[in-house]
Amino acid sequence: MKTLINSCLAISGLIGAIALTSYTESAFADPTHLRQVLQTRSCEGCDLVREKLSFANLRGANLRNANMFSADLKLSDLREANLIGAILDKADLRGADLTGADLTGAYMSETNFCGAIMPDGQKSSEGCPKPAK
């Protein structure tokens, strides 16, 4: 009987952990916004918090005032994208191409730009690990 109770508690804990993980991963983002931005490249004011957009073709996308807090944008094509007023705090833009993107008023206090191609065409070293001495 004790083994059965312990097994039930373990299964209950596992189910709770899975449910919590699923909730925290999508607690803020709106799944319809992700589909919209990938299909139309236009989603002004979208909620893309913690979304995985690595390798996405978002060239010329209208993401004005979009919330991309902690979004994974590694190696994404954001050339000529409208990112005016976008929240990019803690976003991962490593290797992303931002050539011609408008970042006016974008919030980026802890954005990782390591290897990103910036609007001026230069490759960023901001956020890259420092070489060992």
Side-chain angles (χ1 to χ4, degrees), residues 7-8 13 37 43 49 55-56 77 80 95 103 122 128 132:
S7 295
C8 288
V37 76
C43 201
V49 172
F55 298 96
D77 183 355
E80 292 131 25
L103 294 161
Q122 299 296 311
C128 294

Side-chain angles (χ1 to χ4, degrees), residues 5-77:
I5 292 171
N6 285 341
S7 295
C8 288
L9 288 173
I11 291 170
S12 171
L14 181 60
I15 290 170
I18 291 169
L20 181 60
T21 302
S22 298
Y23 175 75
T24 54
E25 286 180 2
S26 62
F28 302 106
D30 184 332
T32 61
H33 289 178
L34 178 60
R35 278 192 302 277
Q36 180 180 343
V37 76
L38 292 174
Q39 291 173 355
T40 69
R41 291 191 202 138
S42 183
C43 201
E44 200 166 320
C46 267
D47 183 358
L48 299 168
V49 172
R50 294 186 182 94
E51 287 293 359
K52 295 183 184 353
L53 290 158
S54 54
F55 298 96
N57 180 1
L58 299 172
R59 185 175 188 166
N62 179 13
L63 296 167
R64 182 183 192 105
N65 297 318
N67 186 354
M68 293 182 278
F69 174 85
S70 202
D72 179 357
L73 293 157
K74 287 189 296 282
L75 298 166
S76 59
D77 183 355

Side-chain angles (χ1 to χ4, degrees), residues 68-69 83-91 103-111:
M68 293 182 278
F69 174 85
L83 296 166
I84 295 171
I87 297 170
L88 292 164
D89 191 36
K90 296 189 179 182
L103 294 161
T104 306
Y107 180 72
M108 304 175 279
S109 74
E110 294 183 42
T111 307

